[in-house]
Amino acid sequence: KQWYQRRVRGSRAMEGRERCTVQDSLEGIAEIAGERLGVKLEKEEEDCWVIVDQGRSVGSVYCDLYTRPNKTPGARTYTIQSDGQHSIALIHCNFSPYSALIPLL
């Protein structure tokens, strides 16, 4: 855990920042995935990342990160499709939307 904390704090996503937003975390994960797994995570849309390996799209990760009415509580991941060619995964969380006026803790 401490290794990852040091990596995220020292990543390009955190340059010049004191607080880590969800977006900063996703960018840090993309950076670490590139270094550790040799793949590239490219942001396609606001909540969708494409996994690129050797210039070829091999998967997508959709992020359903924020709480909303009637959403299933908790956090989990789902594999929606995995056919060996292109995998699709969903990350389901219930983070509170960030507000500068409301402290997170």
Side-chain angles (χ1 to χ4, degrees), residues 14-50:
M14 289 300 296
E15 284 179 4
R17 299 180 188 198
E18 189 172 315
R19 290 188 161 203
C20 183
T21 66
V22 171
Q23 189 60 39
D24 295 332
S25 297
L26 292 173
E27 290 172 12
I29 289 169
E31 187 177 323
I32 291 169
E35 292 174 3
R36 303 292 286 182
L37 304 175
V39 297
K40 217 175 188 184
L41 271 68
E42 298 176 350
K43 191 171 183 176
E44 184 175 72
E45 297 175 25
E46 181 62 30
D47 296 326
C48 178
W49 293 72
V50 175

Side-chain angles (χ1 to χ4, degrees), residues 20-26 43 46-47 63-74 90-99 104:
C20 183
T21 66
V22 171
Q23 189 60 39
D24 295 332
S25 297
L26 292 173
K43 191 171 183 176
E46 181 62 30
D47 296 326
C63 302
D64 185 7
L65 301 177
Y66 300 101
T67 189
R68 62 179 180 276
N70 301 318
K71 184 177 177 186
T72 305
L90 169 68
I91 298 174
H92 168 122
C93 299
N94 278 293
F95 295 121
S96 297
Y98 173 76
S99 169
L104 295 177

